[in-house]
Amino acid sequence: MIGLTGVLLAHAVRSSDIATIILSSVGWVGVLIIVLGTFKINDWNLYSSGLGIVNFIDVVFGRRINRAVVTAVVGVTGSILAAAGILNSFTDFLILLGVGFPPIAGIMVAEYFIVKTWRKDLEESRAAGTLPNSAPTWVPATLVIWIVSALIGHYSTFGLPSINAVASAFVLYVVAGRLGLIRGVGRTTTEAPQEPSGTSALTH
């Protein structure tokens, strides 16, 4: 209904510019609501992106960095890109996501059900009711398969790009597994879930 309303308003005003549509229909109140809503949404985006970057660097490189600094840098960078007109490339960005993320699912399914390189660790930890004590820091073959599958999905001229990407990742991972190419580099200790405060005396 929201999408249909937007289309009808665009036809009525004879413009695709959101500011023109809002001003012509509900005036400055509508513009104010849109602006404040955008502030709130981007506040969530900024928080989650800063937290994600900090966690990524901590887990992969073992370095803790100031989240406030990262958030400020990400916010300034995002503002500069927005002012430079990055929104004009938004469709291309969505297409990139459409071929960039599906291979991850293909790799995960192939590993869990077919290749089973680390399935034993998962089963043992599941029986103990815990997480595995450690996991590979890097799996180079997986990164190569991810990139190659994304490129196949992006440049293929048949079918759906996302389906081509996930199918390519699945097949390539199975082949790499059969050839013994799926090997981890380094080990990263996993963190055990923390108990809620005040419960340790009761449980121990």
Side-chain angles (χ1 to χ4, degrees):
M1 291 300 297
I2 293 175
L4 178 60
T5 302
V7 171
L8 293 177
L9 286 173
H11 278 288
V13 179
R14 298 183 182 278
S15 173
S16 61
D17 182 66
I18 184 65
T20 302
I21 295 173
I22 296 297
L23 284 172
S24 302
S25 55
V26 292
W28 284 102
V29 176
V31 173
L32 181 61
I33 292 173
I34 293 295
V35 170
L36 293 178
T38 302
F39 269 110
K40 185 60 178 176
I41 292 172
N42 283 314
D43 177 48
W44 293 338
N45 292 337
L46 185 58
Y47 173 79
S48 61
S49 60
L51 186 62
I53 292 173
V54 169
N55 287 338
F56 173 78
I57 294 176
D58 182 23
V59 171
V60 176
F61 299 104
R63 297 186 58 186
R64 294 186 179 274
I65 57 178
N66 191 302
R67 186 161 61 89
V69 174
V70 172
T71 302
V73 171
V74 171
V76 171
T77 303
S79 299
I80 294 174
L81 292 175
I86 194 174
L87 189 60
N88 296 328
S89 302
F90 189 62
T91 301
D92 296 333
F93 174 67
L94 293 180
I95 293 174
L96 181 63
L97 292 182
V99 297
F101 279 96
I104 299 175
I107 290 170
M108 292 172 65
V109 172
E111 162 60 29
Y112 188 79
F113 291 103
I114 307 296
V115 181
K116 302 180 180 180
T117 305
W118 292 279
R119 182 69 174 272
K120 181 180 178 181
D121 295 342
L122 290 175
E123 295 295 344
E124 290 177 351
S125 64
R126 180 182 298 173
T130 61
L131 292 172
N133 294 326
S134 63
T137 303
W138 298 96
V139 184
T142 302
L143 298 176
V144 173
I145 291 170
W146 172 45
I147 294 173
V148 171
S149 301
L151 292 175
I152 292 175
H154 183 70
Y155 290 106
S156 59
T157 57
F158 59 90
L160 297 175
S162 57
I163 299 299
N164 294 340
V166 70
S168 299
F170 182 88
V171 172
L172 289 175
Y173 192 90
V174 171
V175 171
R178 294 290 185 261
L179 295 176
L181 300 177
I182 307 299
R183 300 173 183 174
V185 175
R187 300 294 294 183
T188 298
T189 302
T190 56
E191 295 183 4
Q194 297 180 353
E195 298 177 353
S197 61
T199 61
S200 59
L202 296 176
T203 56
H204 298 292

